Amino acid sequence: MILRAAWVFSIDAPALQDGAVCVHDGRIEWVRPWSAVSADERSAAVDLGRAALLPGLVNPHAHLELSCYAGQLPPGPLWTWLSGLLRLREAPDRAEREARGVRDGAAQALMHGTTCIGDISRTGSAWRSLADSPIRAVCFAELLSLATEPPRNPAELIAVLREVPQSDRRIAGVSAHAPYTVDAAGIAASISLAVQMERPWCAHWAETREEVAFLSGMSDALPPPIAAMAAAAGIGGHAGSPIGALEKLLERAFGADADGRRRARTFSGALAHCNYLDREDIARLARLSMTVVYCPRAHEYYGHESHPLPLLLEAGVRVALGTDSLAATPSMSLLEEARHVWKRVARGRVSPLLNPERLLRMITLDAARALRLDDRIGSLRAGKQADLSAFPIRSDCAANDALEAARALVETAPLATGVWVDGVRVT
């Protein structure tokens, strides 16, 4: 199969005007200018017309099971939202309702051009609901020491992970919810487990001011019900900063000797949100190999202060964009997340290091890196799996300017006109 498009954004190579991508046996065989395609090859090509062809978009942070609660919780602080969510989840038929939410959320993600998603499920069972979906998924099982159902400890986490049948399209990921809901031993064990099983790892980190205060040693900083549960589970602060706490946990997982420090620095995981990091912590984070996943519209929904995105980019920290859940964001569109950031660039509120092509990288290759899949997906390179998405380019876009084409794509955030996973068209 050969696909021709007005623009081909490989992400890790310059964009091609009037380019083509050849797919064979589910993998990318080559990416070329149309002028370099032979007459025989041209005769078999599918012309996508005035479209941009990209790697399939990658969403590194979602909670698909919460899709069924879309529109049921008003914007407001995370803690108020969380209380409302817990009440909604107490209603009868939760399992059936949330399984339907997983399917609906995945279908919407595909419609918006997402071909791979990092999905966090409280019980790790969402993979069953994705059995008939063509979407590629890292299905994170979430360790939560405060929970009333598994996985609550590393042994239960291992059991849940082993239930997930592994394939190119289904990978069981390891998640420790947050440092105020999982004890230090549990977080360190989850990191060790991710390394041993060669799985992606993620956690929510520095999401609220209260969490940051708790980590500094203020045990009464969390809302009273959560503080009480944390105390009962033996979860205490770390008497330090968020990234200082992370460094201690990495040392606990890898050891304090030179080899352990090296392994800690090169450990690749995803930190969701990181809304409240100061310059010192950002400098420390830049020495690690973590990816920060920023969810712009959910960030605004919860009323957080300005995200430290400019400082993260200036320090060289890798940042990807995610959606979070439909219970806190209006759609599963990663392009709409990118547009949300771009609007702030236009108003001078975000780093000048950002441009539309950088935003496209944040929802493809950088996002794939957050899931440890950047060697398989996230860019259009020979040998990678043929996950692709095509989007229309508006007619007033300058014909020969890649940055303008990328800007048009981000500003319009259109639905995908075609989506392929492993070279097979799925929408």
Side-chain angles (χ1 to χ4, degrees):
M1 177 181 71
I2 297 174
L3 299 174
R4 179 189 186 186
W7 284 99
V8 174
F9 287 91
S10 294
I11 303 300
D12 60 356
L16 294 177
Q17 183 184 7
D18 195 11
V21 177
C22 179
V23 173
H24 181 70
D25 285 342
R27 294 188 178 271
I28 296 170
E29 189 164 300
W30 49 254
V31 180
R32 297 175 187 164
W34 182 248
S35 60
V37 179
S38 71
D40 285 346
E41 291 168 329
R42 289 185 180 196
S43 65
V46 176
D47 193 341
L48 300 175
R50 194 170 181 78
L53 187 62
L54 279 74
L57 307 187
V58 181
N59 186 348
H61 186 71
H63 298 269
L64 290 176
E65 64 191 9
L66 303 185
S67 300
C68 59
Y69 305 115
Q72 298 183 47
L73 295 164
L78 175 69
W79 309 113
T80 304
W81 176 89
L82 182 59
S83 296
L85 177 66
L86 292 174
R87 286 194 297 271
L88 289 175
R89 299 187 90 172
E90 289 172 356
D93 302 319
R94 170 186 160 185
E96 180 182 343
R97 181 173 63 251
E98 294 187 357
R100 185 171 60 251
V102 171
R103 294 189 291 270
D104 292 346
Q108 186 184 136
L110 284 166
M111 181 176 67
H112 287 287
T114 296
T115 56
C116 179
I117 196 161
D119 177 51
I120 299 177
S121 169
R122 171 68 277 281
T123 60
S125 60
W127 61 269
R128 293 185 176 89
S129 303
L130 291 172
D132 296 324
S133 173
I135 201 166
R136 196 180 304 280
V138 175
C139 300
F140 285 100
E142 186 174 61
L143 180 61
L144 189 64
S145 304
L146 308 184
T148 57
E149 55 188 350
R152 296 158 295 193
N153 56 58
E156 292 179 343
L157 181 61
I158 291 170
V160 170
L161 290 168
R162 286 176 175 167
E163 288 181 358
V164 183
Q166 299 294 292
S167 69
D168 278 346
R169 293 198 193 178
R170 295 292 176 273
I171 299 170
V174 181
S175 173
H177 175 260
Y180 63 91
T181 57
V182 182
D183 60 67
I187 296 176
S190 75
I191 293 170
S192 298
L193 185 60
V195 172
Q196 293 163 12
M197 299 181 74
E198 298 183 325
R199 305 291 174 81
W201 180 88
C202 75
H204 301 78
W205 217 263
E207 187 171 3
T208 66
R209 283 283 184 200
E210 292 82 2
E211 176 192 335
V212 173
F214 174 77
L215 290 174
S216 73
M218 295 175 60
S219 58
D220 59 349
L222 298 172
I226 295 175
M229 288 190 289
I235 302 169
H238 295 258
S241 68
I243 303 305
L246 177 63
E247 288 173 332
K248 290 178 183 177
L249 292 165
L250 289 169
E251 180 179 300
R252 186 165 180 165
F254 294 110
D257 59 11
D259 183 62
R261 292 194 298 272
R262 177 191 61 79
R263 294 173 67 203
R265 285 194 304 272
T266 58
F267 175 68
S268 178
L271 299 176
H273 309 303
C274 288
N275 298 330
Y276 297 97
L277 297 180
D278 61 22
R279 287 181 178 273
E280 183 178 348
D281 253 5
I282 289 171
R284 298 167 87 165
L285 182 57
R287 294 193 289 268
L288 302 176
S289 298
M290 297 287 185
T291 300
V292 170
V293 183
Y294 170 38
C295 302
R297 292 183 295 169
H299 184 93
E300 184 173 274
Y301 177 95
Y302 293 124
H304 291 300
E305 299 166 31
S306 294
H307 193 273
L309 176 62
L311 296 177
L312 291 165
L313 295 176
E314 289 162 15
V317 176
R318 186 186 307 106
V319 181
L321 300 183
T323 61
D324 214 324
S325 81
L326 282 174
T329 197
S331 76
M332 295 300 293
S333 171
L334 286 167
L335 281 173
E336 289 178 11
E337 299 291 346
R339 180 172 63 187
H340 195 84
V341 177
W342 181 243
K343 287 180 178 178
R344 279 147 182 75
V345 173
R347 293 199 291 266
R349 293 174 56 188
V350 183
S351 172
L353 294 173
L354 270 181
N355 64 42
E357 287 187 291
R358 176 69 178 269
L359 285 166
L360 293 182
R361 184 184 179 97
M362 291 166 74
I363 56 176
T364 53
L365 190 57
D366 289 342
R369 175 64 173 166
L371 298 177
R372 294 187 61 195
L373 293 176
D374 53 307
D375 59 335
R376 305 185 208 178
I377 59 172
S379 64
L380 301 182
R381 181 175 290 276
K384 284 195 170 184
Q385 290 166 298
D387 293 3
L388 307 107
S389 293
F391 300 92
I393 293 289
R394 68 189 185 201
S395 58
D396 64 344
C397 175
N400 59 352
D401 188 334
L403 194 60
E404 175 68 12
R407 183 174 72 84
L409 195 56
V410 169
E411 287 184 346
T412 58
L415 292 173
T417 53
V419 178
W420 295 260
V421 177
D422 286 331
V424 176
R425 187 162 188 167
V426 297
T427 68

